[in-house]
Amino acid sequence: MSTMNSVVICGASGYIGQYLRRSLEADKVAVRTIGRGGVSDATWSDEQGVVDVLSGADLVVNLAGRSVSCRYNKRNADEIFSSRVETTALLGRALARTPQPPSLWANASTGTIYRDARDRPMDEITGELGTGFSVAVARAWEHELFEAPTPIRKVALRMSIVLGAGGGAINPVINLTRLGFGGKMGDGRQMFSWVHIEDVVRSITHLFEHQDISGPVNIAAPFPVTNDQMMREMRTALGRQRGLPTPGWVLELGARIIRTEAELVLKSRWVAPGVLADNGFRFKYPTLESALNQIAQETPRGLLPVALG
């Protein structure tokens, strides 16, 4: 089993990056960072600095990317695309020049790369890729990873919706529930794939230790739920007995008001963790109820923030 002594995190200022850094440092792993701000050990504008930070690390995890919880106008769409694709391309160039590169490059991707699925789960082998802006971004993101001119092992982390205390990317759903609109969204039959933040970190460690794994890996809990069930469990966690349903056309209108996209809740994401399951990974939080109960214990006043992966 490989020993993890030093890790480089790109995009460490985000919710997942912060949690990953705290978890690694709690295990006495040295963490260096690459980002846009002066607090990082290297910035994207200094490629030689990136090379220097990467050299000697055991693992690099790239989580850089603008939040997708926004309207997909041209400016936001360009930022979403460039913040993922360009940083991944730069990282690939830097790794190709790194004297002692990491043994694994784990790069963020998204479970929304798959089509709207209501008939069957999408795993890494039989899953069918979808269409549209979000899928195009994910395809380009992964293309830059796997075509990068460096021979090290690469894994695309196809993350589903990440749940955990202290997040906030889909807090509008929580706010709607608190306001009494915590019923099903659309027809409520769209699947909701998710994963607890702690299992995200545990899966990255698992992938590092299992050196035969490469390529796309779905980071999703084994028991997804329908939107209807998700909203029921959300109401329970927030202490709301009832919630008015929200038709699709209302969500489309409301999304414009709160400056996000209705796709974030209306698309059916049914993602199966095939590779992790085949390689013996055991989820600490396999069910939505177990995840929400843990989050509720850590969060004041029953708030259940989440982050979108």
Side-chain angles (χ1 to χ4, degrees), residues 1 4 19-20 124 157-160 194-210 212-213 217-223 272-287:
M1 182 180 295
M4 187 189 300
Y19 194 99
L20 176 60
E124 298 90 342
L157 305 170
R158 290 182 175 173
M159 287 184 279
S160 54
W194 59 276
V195 64
H196 190 282
I197 182 66
E198 189 171 341
D199 280 326
V200 173
V201 173
R202 293 177 64 249
S203 67
I204 291 172
T205 300
H206 184 87
L207 293 169
F208 174 77
E209 294 172 347
H210 289 72
D212 56 331
I213 301 175
V217 175
N218 292 344
I219 311 296
F223 299 112
V275 170
L276 288 177
D278 291 345
N279 285 273
F281 182 77
R282 299 290 297 273
F283 286 86
K284 186 173 181 179
Y285 300 100
T287 66

Side-chain angles (χ1 to χ4, degrees), residues 100-164:
Q100 295 177 278
S103 62
L104 172 61
W105 174 7
N107 207 82
S109 183
T110 173
T112 202
I113 196 172
Y114 298 108
R115 65 169 171 83
D116 184 291
R118 301 186 181 216
D119 54 332
R120 66 178 180 86
M122 301 286 111
D123 65 20
E124 298 90 342
I125 297 175
T126 65
E128 300 170 41
L129 304 191
T131 58
F133 172 70
S134 297
V135 174
V137 172
R139 282 174 174 264
W141 205 0
E142 292 191 5
H143 177 80
E144 288 296 340
L145 168 67
F146 293 122
E147 294 301 315
T150 178
I152 67 176
R153 183 165 62 103
K154 304 165 188 171
V155 169
L157 305 170
R158 290 182 175 173
M159 287 184 279
S160 54
I161 306 296
V162 179
L163 305 182

Side-chain angles (χ1 to χ4, degrees), residues 193-274:
S193 281
W194 59 276
V195 64
H196 190 282
I197 182 66
E198 189 171 341
D199 280 326
V200 173
V201 173
R202 293 177 64 249
S203 67
I204 291 172
T205 300
H206 184 87
L207 293 169
F208 174 77
E209 294 172 347
H210 289 72
Q211 300 176 34
D212 56 331
I213 301 175
S214 62
V217 175
N218 292 344
I219 311 296
F223 299 112
V225 297
T226 63
N227 174 269
D228 190 18
Q229 183 180 344
M230 183 267 286
M231 295 308 296
R232 285 202 306 271
E233 297 201 24
M234 187 73 77
R235 291 197 303 272
T236 299
L238 292 172
R240 300 292 190 271
Q241 292 186 343
R242 297 181 180 82
L244 293 174
T246 314
W249 68 269
V250 174
L251 285 169
E252 294 283 358
L253 179 62
R256 295 178 180 274
I257 297 172
I258 61 176
R259 302 187 179 219
T260 189
E261 290 288 333
E263 176 200 39
L264 298 181
V265 293
L266 290 178
K267 181 175 180 177
S268 186
R269 294 173 172 86
W270 195 349
V271 182

